[in-house]
Amino acid sequence: MDYCPSYLTSDAPKPLKFVKFAIQINSAPWESQGGDTAYQFSRAALKLGHEIVRIFFYYEGAYHGMRWMAPPEDEKPLLQRWSALAAEQGVDLVICISAAHRRGLLEQTEATRMGKIDNDLADGFRIAGLGLWVDACLKADRFLVFGV
């Protein structure tokens, strides 16, 4: 009789490999489909049981976290979708501090430090440095970049 490993003949389902993803978004919400594609991918991955270590908004992607963004009614409400993803799934949404400051995007603490009264950061987002992107890439099995 030929030897055949039991896992090849078993009817038992094979264990799934869940993947940890780090996601970077480089384009503004109105600039390309990158942000929406990243959002759709993130929702689908979480639904399948995968983990999103962190979503890092870089370059023009920083605009995704602007509290006062008001796109036309016929466009997808990406800001509300990102905020809901953070609230419902606990996804860490981080905006690069350099990209945020270049675009005038300030959180309350930083605005106070700079003598300004703004709080431009939308719910669910935080501002931090590139070190958190490096940390996410080290913890993730895969990293994906969306946008230009």
Side-chain angles (χ1 to χ4, degrees):
M1 174 176 233
D2 291 344
Y3 173 74
C4 185
S6 62
Y7 65 86
L8 292 178
T9 59
S10 172
D11 290 334
K14 307 296 182 269
L16 293 176
K17 166 96 169 91
F18 294 110
V19 179
K20 295 179 184 179
F21 292 101
I23 296 174
Q24 180 178 323
I25 300 171
N26 294 334
S27 58
W30 56 84
E31 190 174 44
S32 76
Q33 286 296 115
D36 185 51
T37 303
Y39 170 79
Q40 298 296 337
F41 174 86
S42 299
R43 293 295 294 201
L46 290 167
K47 186 175 181 179
L48 291 172
H50 300 292
E51 180 184 340
I52 305 295
V53 175
R54 183 167 295 123
I55 300 178
F56 194 80
F57 298 85
Y58 198 40
Y59 299 113
E60 302 301 311
Y63 287 116
H64 282 270
M66 290 196 82
R67 175 186 304 276
W68 312 118
M69 187 171 47
E73 289 182 17
D74 63 337
E75 291 183 13
K76 295 174 184 173
L78 267 179
L79 176 62
Q80 290 80 7
R81 289 178 176 183
W82 286 124
S83 292
L85 188 69
E88 295 165 8
Q89 301 287 334
V91 175
D92 190 18
L93 306 177
V94 177
I95 298 173
C96 173
I97 191 167
S98 296
H101 286 186
R102 281 189 194 102
R103 290 155 184 85
L105 177 60
L106 300 173
E107 64 174 329
Q108 186 65 53
T109 307
E110 190 68 12
T112 302
R113 187 185 72 76
M114 298 174 91
K116 302 186 184 288
I117 57 171
D118 290 345
N119 181 14
D120 304 315
L121 199 60
D123 294 337
F125 288 84
R126 65 185 178 125
I127 295 176
L130 276 173
L132 283 183
W133 174 239
V134 173
D135 176 66
C137 290
L138 291 173
K139 291 177 180 174
D141 299 312
R142 301 280 186 271
F143 69 89
L144 304 172
V145 178
F146 292 87
V148 181

